[in-house]
């Protein structure tokens, strides 16, 4: 194993940047492999094009005969791009993407063949996919699953395959993927937000949720990664002593991008341009060998698809550059983990960002309406938001090294806090002329000026307002954005729906004018949601104590957090907003619990294997060398040898203590794992969380101490300094 380590290091040091050939200006190649509006205009009939655009803009159904015309045009376009196969590209409840490729090729008799792709093959497929998680929705003997075309996300060619974004549903109609509930949530927030917008602008007929994700990741040389079984099998290092130099000097953050990494980034961005993924920003992140890329904002459904596609593309491109890309939220202890900040906002079909103030008091009242309702929605559903970002891997990141804590709070800045405090004191009922003037001129009217100087510097806030959007920072880098985006858009839709009911009631019953009714309801929401607003540092016992006094939840682990998914309140919310049925909610909860159990189970097995089969034998080998040294000294110097062998004897004893510690802890961990395996669901997850997982740190402690004691020349595992600083 030690030979493998040094062979990997030698191989890594001989790497050269891969030469990248640009395909031309990015603006010219952007979306070249996407069946977008430009491609449709060239390859579809007028009626077919109009049908697709109506489906995208208004959710209209596509006639089967028209689907045949669309499939013909799509096939010819794809073949012109070098495609030989097609696939329904979907996002099952594994968090990854899935695809089954079928060739356009069909035989037609007499030894002849043709390329065939009709409307039926475009609109629906039956991939079976019975081995994907289903949470009890499907029995094995009725395991049929169907993929159905989502025309709102354009098809694309990747490699030699036409990829058609689809939803994935069971034979009985329940959603078996991340995409279907997201589409329902987006439709729900569109309806609710559009209704509220009509208070301010009758021309608004549609509201889109937008999303801009920020993808953080680590790049490790593929040879070094291959020499670490824990990285290959779990995506993170289960042991390894911290490097003497980590991120203390902040010399990696925004620093010069290493040549090999720059080559990878250029190659990746070139692929992204062809696939229509509008990546714009790239830079070094805080930790060594950690990086980030971010795109221009897009409609949320498309942005989710693009992030899922991006992660696939990153895996493939990294292989060309002899890298292993790590999406795990905490692949290395003691340094920053990786998140996937979800920047969210709402925009109207008239081109207005609803979370950006305007030039008139009425526009600013519209801004305040959506701003305050968002805060109220987060306040009322903070446990559900925590559940949406829960995972075994994200548990390692939350609350450590600049990552947000497990306590959900909202940061809006001192200036906007002052605005809400003033609005809190608005008179109940009708407003006096003086109060109306004061509100419009001195409070609401000055919001744009306030935001000019309202930069967010609180990096520990899980949910922060950053000028014209809210940023959900607690999402993990390994996550599919669909989960948190489904939750966020659902709770906003519910909140806006309730808001309109309350405003309309005040107008009807209290004879209030529209803006007076809006101010009255907003005032009550500001008071009711005040405890979720927090401007301070999210770390430490002080905030935990204060949060408990405020009545905020602090669900530190995934098994704790996931309970909120199946509460009566949550199920009622999803059913009312037509996002998910009780069966679909409970299935997802079961699947996420099972995933948590399996990930901890796998990590326990891998750690036990490495500790016993790699670390202990190496420690014994070095101990034998020390024993030989002590024996030689005794043979030469006789009874005086102890003076000369004091340090060696001490090392022998310390190594024995750590070997014994590893063995006893691995045995104890294994026994707890056996107990957990006899249980199911919540009970099993809690035992894995509270009884099995704590042994990981104890076993690691002894292994990491041995790493410091054992001769570097025989240590089998690639060390942190090599993983993080080998360029």
């Amino acid at each position: 194993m030690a030979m493998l380590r040094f062979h990997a290091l030698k191989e890594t040091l001989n790497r050269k940047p891969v030469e990248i050939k640009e395909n031309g200006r990015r603006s010219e190649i952007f979306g070249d492999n996407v069946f977008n509006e430009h491609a449709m205009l060239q390859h579809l009939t007028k009626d077919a094009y109009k049908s697709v655009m109506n489906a995208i803009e208004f959710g209209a159904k596509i006639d089967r005969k028209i689907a045949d015309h669309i499939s013909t045009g799509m096939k010819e376009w794809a073949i012109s791009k070098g495609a030989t196969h097609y696939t329904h590209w979907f996002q099952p409840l594994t968090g990854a993407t899935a695809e089954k490729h079928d060739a356009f090729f069909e035989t037609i008799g007499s030894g002849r063949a043709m390329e065939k792709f009709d409307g039926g093959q475009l609109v629906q497929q039956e991939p079976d996919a019975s081995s994907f998680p289903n949470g009890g929705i499907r029995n094995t003997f009725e395991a049929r699953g169907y993929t159905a075309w989502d025309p709102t996300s354009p098809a694309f060619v990747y490699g030699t395959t036409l990829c058609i974004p689809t939803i994935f549903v069971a034979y009985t109609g329940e959603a078996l993927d991340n995409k279907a509930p997201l589409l329902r949530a987006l439709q729900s927030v569109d309806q609710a937000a559009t209704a509220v917008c009509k208070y301010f602008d009758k021309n608004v007929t549609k509201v889109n949720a937008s999303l801009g994700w920020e993808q953080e990741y680590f790049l490790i040389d593929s040879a070094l990664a291959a020499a670490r079984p824990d990285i290959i099998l779990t995506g993170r290092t289960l042991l390894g002593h911290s490097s003497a130099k980590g991120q203390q000097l902040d010399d990696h953050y925004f620093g010069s991008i290493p040549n090999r990494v720059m080559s990878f980034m250029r190659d990746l961005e070139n692929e992204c341009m062809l696939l229509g993924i509008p990546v714009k920003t790239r830079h070094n992140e805080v930790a060594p060998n950690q990086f980030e890329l971010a795109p221009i904002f897009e409609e949320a459904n498309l942005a989710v698809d693009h992030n899922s596609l991006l992660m696939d593309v990153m895996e493939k491109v990294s292989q060309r550059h002899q890298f292993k890309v790590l999406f795990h939220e905490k692949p290395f202890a003691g340094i920053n983990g990786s998140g996937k900040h979800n920047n969210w906002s709402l925009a109207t079909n008239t081109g207005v960002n609803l979370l950006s103030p305007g030039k008139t008091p009425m526009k600013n009242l519209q801004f305040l309406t959506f701003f305050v309702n968002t805060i109220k929605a987060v306040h009322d559903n903070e446990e559900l938001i925590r559940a949406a970002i829960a995972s075994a891997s994200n548990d390692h990141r939350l609350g450590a090294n600049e990552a947000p804590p497990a306590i959900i709070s909202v940061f809006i800045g001192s200036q906007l806090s002052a605005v809400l405090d003033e609005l809190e004191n608005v008179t109940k009922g009708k407003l006096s002329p003086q109060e109306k003037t004061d509100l419009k001129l001195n409070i609401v009217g000055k919001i744009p000026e306030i935001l000019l100087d309202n930069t967010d510097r609180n990096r520990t806030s899980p949910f922060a307002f950053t000028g014209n959007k809210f940023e959900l920072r607690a999402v993990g880098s390994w996550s599919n954005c669909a989960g948190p985006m489904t939750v966020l858009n659902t709770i906003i839709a519910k909140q806006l729906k309730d808001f309109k009911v309350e405003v309309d009631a005040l107008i009807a019953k209290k004879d209030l004018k529209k803006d007076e009714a809006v101010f009255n309801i907003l005032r009550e929401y500001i008071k009711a949601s005040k405890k979720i607003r927090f401007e301070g540092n999210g770390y430490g016992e002080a905030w935990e104590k204060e949060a408990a006094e405020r009545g905020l939840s602090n669900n530190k682990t995934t098994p704790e957090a996931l309970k909120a998914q199946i509460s009566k309140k949550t199920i009622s919310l999803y059913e009312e907003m037509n996002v998910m049925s009780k069966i679909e909610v409970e299935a997802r909860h079961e699947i996420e619990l099972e995933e948590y159990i399996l990930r901890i189970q796998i990590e326990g097995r891998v750690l036990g294997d490495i500790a016993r089969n790699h670390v202990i034998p190496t420690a014994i080998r070095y101990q034998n060398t020390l024993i030989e040294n002590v024996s030689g000294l005794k043979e030469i110097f006789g009874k005086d040898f102890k003076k000369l062998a004091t340090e060696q004897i001490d090392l022998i004893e310390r190594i024995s203590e750590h070997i014994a510690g590893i063995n006893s802890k691995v045995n104890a961990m294994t026994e707890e794992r056996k107990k957990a395996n006899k249980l199911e669901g919540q009970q099993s997850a809690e035992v894995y969380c509270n009884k099995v997982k704590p042994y990981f740190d104890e076993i690691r402690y002894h292994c990491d101490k041995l790493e410091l004691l054992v001769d570097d020349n025989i240590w089998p595992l690639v060390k942190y300094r090599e993983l993080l600083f080998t360029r």
Side-chain angles (χ1 to χ4, degrees):
M1 190 72 183
M3 289 179 63
L4 178 60
R5 172 188 163 208
F6 288 109
H7 176 76
L9 283 167
K10 183 179 179 181
E11 192 173 330
T12 300
L13 293 171
N14 289 329
R15 304 274 200 218
K16 301 294 181 186
V18 175
E19 187 176 343
I20 303 301
K21 293 182 179 179
E22 301 285 356
N23 290 354
R25 288 191 179 189
R26 296 190 172 189
S27 59
E28 293 174 351
I29 66 170
F30 182 71
D32 199 47
N33 288 345
V34 180
F35 196 59
N36 50 27
E37 286 188 46
H38 177 71
M40 286 192 288
L41 282 168
Q42 290 183 316
H43 292 85
L44 297 185
T45 64
K46 186 177 180 180
D47 287 343
Y49 171 78
K50 185 177 179 181
S51 182
V52 175
M53 295 310 296
N54 283 336
I56 294 171
E57 294 176 13
F58 308 112
K61 290 186 177 181
I62 295 175
D63 181 83
R64 184 55 180 268
K65 290 182 179 179
I66 293 292
D68 283 331
H69 291 297
I70 297 168
S71 64
T72 299
M74 191 182 289
K75 177 195 69 177
E76 293 305 316
W77 169 82
I79 290 173
S80 74
K81 295 292 180 182
T84 57
H85 290 66
Y86 67 92
T87 182
H88 274 199
W89 185 82
F90 59 103
Q91 300 172 41
L93 295 172
T94 58
T97 60
E99 51 197 68
K100 182 187 78 169
H101 298 192
D102 286 304
F104 291 123
F105 173 84
E106 293 279 352
T107 56
I108 55 175
S110 303
R112 294 179 299 161
M114 64 177 290
E115 276 77 28
K116 183 184 177 184
F117 180 60
D118 60 30
Q121 292 165 313
L122 167 64
V123 172
Q124 182 176 301
Q125 289 280 279
E126 186 182 340
D128 181 13
S130 57
S131 294
F132 283 123
N134 64 75
I137 288 178
R138 299 190 294 172
N139 294 313
T140 303
F141 60 84
E142 54 179 18
R144 280 183 292 175
Y146 296 102
T147 49
W149 176 35
D150 170 21
T152 64
S153 185
F156 57 92
V157 169
Y158 189 53
T160 58
T161 305
L162 169 65
C163 300
I164 304 159
T166 59
I167 61 170
F168 181 42
V169 296
Y171 174 65
T172 46
E174 290 88 2
L176 293 170
D177 66 346
N178 288 297
K179 191 180 185 74
L182 174 65
L183 290 172
R184 296 171 191 161
L186 294 174
Q187 183 179 30
S188 186
V189 81
D190 170 22
Q191 293 170 350
T194 299
V196 172
C197 279
K198 289 189 180 295
Y199 285 141
F200 310 99
D201 184 355
K202 299 291 185 184
N203 295 317
V204 174
T205 57
K206 186 173 179 59
V207 173
N208 282 323
S210 63
L211 169 64
W213 39 262
E214 302 168 26
Q215 182 70 60
E216 294 178 337
Y217 61 98
F218 282 83
L219 279 180
I220 306 300
D221 186 273
S222 57
L224 300 182
R228 290 285 310 219
D230 48 357
I231 289 179
I232 297 301
L233 296 176
T234 72
R236 75 178 182 107
T237 55
L238 297 174
L239 49 84
H241 198 279
S242 297
S243 171
K245 180 189 175 186
Q247 61 188 48
Q248 311 96 306
L249 299 177
D250 296 323
D251 54 345
H252 187 258
Y253 190 50
F254 279 26
S256 176
I257 299 172
N259 289 338
R260 279 184 65 202
V261 176
M262 179 62 83
S263 179
F264 160 79
M265 288 179 170
R266 288 175 57 203
D267 196 1
L268 173 64
E269 289 167 1
N270 191 59
E271 294 280 2
C272 287
M273 289 299 105
L274 293 170
L275 292 168
I277 306 173
V279 293
K280 185 175 177 68
T281 302
R282 66 187 183 203
H283 63 84
N284 289 1
E285 255 301 332
V286 175
N289 275 350
Q290 185 187 31
F291 308 94
E292 179 182 302
L293 78 154
I296 297 169
F297 281 53
E298 298 180 283
E299 186 275 324
N301 178 45
L302 183 57
V304 167
D305 279 3
H306 277 164
N307 183 250
S308 297
L309 176 58
L310 172 91
M311 294 172 77
D312 287 346
V313 175
M314 287 177 75
E315 294 271 15
K316 292 171 182 175
V317 173
S318 67
Q319 292 171 14
R320 294 204 289 259
H321 295 259
Q322 288 80 49
F323 280 126
K324 170 73 174 174
V325 60
L326 302 183
F327 292 117
H328 194 289
E329 284 82 356
K330 196 74 171 178
F332 302 100
I335 59 174
N336 274 23
S338 297
K340 178 151 44 192
H341 298 180
N342 278 210
N343 294 276
W344 171 89
S345 190
L346 295 170
T348 69
N349 63 304
T350 58
V352 175
N353 179 350
L354 295 172
L355 288 173
S356 182
K359 295 179 180 179
T360 66
M362 185 55 73
K363 288 293 183 185
N364 292 331
L365 181 55
Q366 178 177 267
F367 158 74
L368 277 173
T369 295
F370 285 91
F371 179 69
V372 173
N373 272 282
T374 300
I375 296 171
K376 178 69 161 48
V378 173
H379 170 273
D380 292 353
N381 299 277
E382 44 99 5
E383 285 196 276
L384 184 55
I385 292 175
R386 171 65 182 95
I389 51 94
S391 69
S393 50
N394 207 22
D395 280 357
H396 292 285
R397 166 181 167 261
L398 294 176
N401 297 92
E402 290 193 10
I407 303 167
I408 300 299
S409 64
V410 178
F411 175 92
I412 63 172
S414 57
Q415 295 96 331
L416 281 172
S417 290
V419 169
L420 296 194
D421 290 343
E422 289 196 61
L423 289 173
E424 198 177 323
N425 298 317
V426 171
T427 300
K428 189 173 184 179
K430 289 189 176 182
L431 305 178
S432 67
Q434 177 62 37
E435 195 166 27
K436 280 186 179 181
T437 302
D438 187 56
L439 275 172
K440 290 179 179 179
L441 296 180
N442 298 325
I443 300 176
V444 179
K446 290 186 177 180
I447 288 174
E449 298 170 28
I450 289 170
L451 291 187
L452 286 175
D453 205 25
N454 187 45
T455 53
D456 166 31
R457 297 180 180 88
N458 189 340
R459 307 309 298 170
T460 65
S461 175
F463 195 78
F465 183 69
T466 56
N468 59 1
K469 62 189 183 302
F470 277 99
E471 184 176 2
L472 180 55
R473 295 189 178 130
V475 181
S477 55
W478 219 348
S479 297
N480 185 315
C481 297
M485 281 297 101
T486 297
V487 168
L488 185 57
N489 285 289
T490 301
I491 65 174
I492 300 296
K494 165 65 173 167
Q495 180 57 51
L496 291 171
K497 179 182 175 184
D498 291 348
F499 170 78
K500 187 171 189 307
V501 169
E502 292 187 61
V503 170
D504 288 347
L506 275 187
I507 294 172
K509 295 177 183 178
K510 300 289 185 179
D511 195 28
L512 295 180
K513 291 184 178 180
K514 179 179 62 183
D515 55 347
E516 289 177 324
V518 169
F519 274 122
N520 272 263
I521 300 301
L522 291 182
R523 181 194 62 241
E524 297 307 312
Y525 285 177
I526 291 167
K527 291 178 182 177
S529 62
K530 199 166 186 176
K531 69 181 183 183
I532 200 73
R533 287 160 36 204
F534 178 61
E535 306 297 311
N537 190 325
Y539 294 145
E541 294 180 4
W543 169 229
E544 289 192 14
K545 183 179 178 182
E546 182 181 339
E549 291 171 353
R550 293 185 181 198
L552 301 177
S553 66
N554 185 11
N555 298 322
K556 293 185 176 181
T557 68
T558 292
E560 277 184 273
L562 291 181
K563 291 177 183 177
Q565 285 184 329
I566 52 170
S567 68
K568 289 182 179 178
K569 177 183 174 183
T570 297
I571 292 171
S572 175
L573 166 71
Y574 281 130
E575 289 184 330
E576 179 184 345
M577 305 315 295
N578 296 314
V579 172
M580 281 189 280
S581 66
K582 182 180 179 182
I583 292 173
E584 290 171 319
V585 172
E586 290 175 341
R588 278 156 179 74
H589 176 257
E590 182 180 323
I591 289 165
E592 291 189 39
L593 272 181
E594 182 70 12
E595 182 184 353
Y596 179 86
I597 292 165
L598 293 174
R599 287 199 181 277
I600 304 300
Q601 182 187 81
I602 291 168
E603 288 190 352
R605 288 173 172 171
V606 172
L607 179 57
D609 173 55
I610 295 174
R612 280 189 161 156
N613 295 321
H614 298 284
V615 174
I616 288 179
T618 303
I620 291 173
R621 180 181 168 191
Y622 182 59
Q623 192 178 50
N624 288 338
T625 300
L626 292 172
I627 291 170
E628 288 177 16
N629 178 262
V630 171
S631 297
L633 289 172
K634 184 178 181 181
E635 187 176 329
I636 294 172
F637 296 102
K639 62 181 181 179
D640 294 328
F641 85 98
K642 287 188 177 180
K643 294 178 182 178
L644 301 172
T646 301
E647 295 298 328
Q648 293 92 316
I649 292 171
D650 179 56
L651 272 174
I652 291 168
E653 291 175 349
R654 288 160 64 192
I655 288 170
S656 290
E657 289 171 4
H658 290 305
I659 289 172
I662 290 171
N663 264 322
S664 65
K665 298 301 180 185
V666 169
N667 286 335
M669 176 185 69
T670 303
E671 289 305 310
E672 291 294 346
R673 208 166 62 229
K674 289 178 181 177
K675 294 176 185 177
N677 291 340
K678 293 178 181 177
L679 303 171
E680 293 182 351
Q682 187 71 33
Q683 288 182 314
S684 179
E686 287 178 359
V687 173
Y688 264 106
C689 178
N690 301 319
K691 299 293 184 181
V692 176
K693 190 180 170 187
Y695 282 110
F696 290 8
D697 288 338
E698 296 179 27
I699 295 167
R700 179 176 191 149
Y701 168 79
H702 292 293
C703 291
D704 290 357
K705 288 297 182 183
L706 286 174
E707 182 182 327
L708 292 179
L709 298 177
V710 171
D711 183 356
D712 182 69
N713 283 324
I714 63 170
W715 188 254
L717 300 170
V718 179
K719 297 188 175 184
Y720 265 35
R721 66 170 185 264
E722 297 157 350
L723 288 167
L724 294 172
F725 291 98
T726 304
R727 300 288 191 255

